[in-house]
Amino acid sequence: MTATISIDTLDHAGSFDAYLAEPTDTPRAAIIVIQEIFGVNAGMRRRCDLWAEAGYLAFAPDLFWRIEPGVELDPDIRDQFQRALALMGQFDQDKGIADIEATIRAARHKLGDGGKVGVVGYCLGGRLAFMCATRTDTDASVGYYGVGIDGLLGEKHAIAHPVLLHVPAEDHFVDKTAQQRMHEGLDDHPKVTLIDYPGLDHGFATEFGQRRNEAGATAADQRTATFFATNLG
């Protein structure tokens, strides 16, 4: 079952929409799917649907709601890609993390006592997933091609639960120097695992579109599924 639900902000000053996909049986846990710069589009909704099919309660909060509620963009259309970059330039990441925390709380409330919640994000969402690992009580975090994580290494001491980062070696938004800094800063962290994908570029695991690399996406998604099964249930 799928629906669009409303979630109150932490300060109760507003509310935002989230796409919700529910499994047919009792959820094994919950997963928050964190959008790319293209909004909660068909790809993000499909991700939620797949997690629901695997037995998880899945949410995709609309993080751009303060700028433009309900935006859905296609990265393969040049004008829409440029519009997404403009939205990213206006986005307040700290408020975005607060909205993800509100979604985590909504998920825990729906699961009941003891329910675990993980996050998985892509691009901007990959960065926010790492920030969730350092700033929220999420039980497990996965980031696909997160941008600027090398600039967040000063927060790594706050990571208390497992983190998995998928790093395409030819990411044109995250150069080799940034990737090296990520490895140097995180390879010895007991809670963090980085997996490199030689020859692959940013967006390789997108659900739809020209950026997708089938073999790479399948491998990364299988690792993510195993990671969540181990750390969430």
Side-chain angles (χ1 to χ4, degrees), residues 142-182:
V142 179
Y144 285 71
Y145 30 87
V147 179
I149 290 175
D150 60 307
L152 298 170
L153 297 177
E155 300 185 23
K156 69 178 184 179
H157 66 280
I159 296 173
H161 297 104
V163 176
L164 173 62
L165 300 176
H166 299 292
V167 184
E170 303 305 322
D171 192 330
H172 64 285
F173 290 115
V174 183
D175 63 23
K176 300 287 188 181
T177 301
Q179 292 176 39
Q180 182 178 352
R181 286 196 294 265
M182 289 170 63

Side-chain angles (χ1 to χ4, degrees), residues 94-109:
D94 291 333
K95 289 181 179 178
I97 290 295
D99 291 341
I100 297 169
E101 175 64 28
T103 308
I104 292 170
R105 294 187 186 184
R108 292 195 191 283
H109 178 76

Side-chain angles (χ1 to χ4, degrees), residues 83-135:
R83 185 174 163 213
L85 291 176
L87 289 168
M88 173 59 196
Q90 301 173 61
F91 178 60
D92 185 321
Q93 295 184 32
D94 291 333
K95 289 181 179 178
I97 290 295
D99 291 341
I100 297 169
E101 175 64 28
T103 308
I104 292 170
R105 294 187 186 184
R108 292 195 191 283
H109 178 76
K110 196 167 182 64
L111 287 171
D113 291 343
K116 291 187 175 183
V117 181
V119 301
V120 55
Y122 305 83
C123 179
L124 165 63
R127 174 185 173 88
L128 295 175
F130 184 84
M131 293 169 71
C132 284
T134 66
R135 302 185 188 186

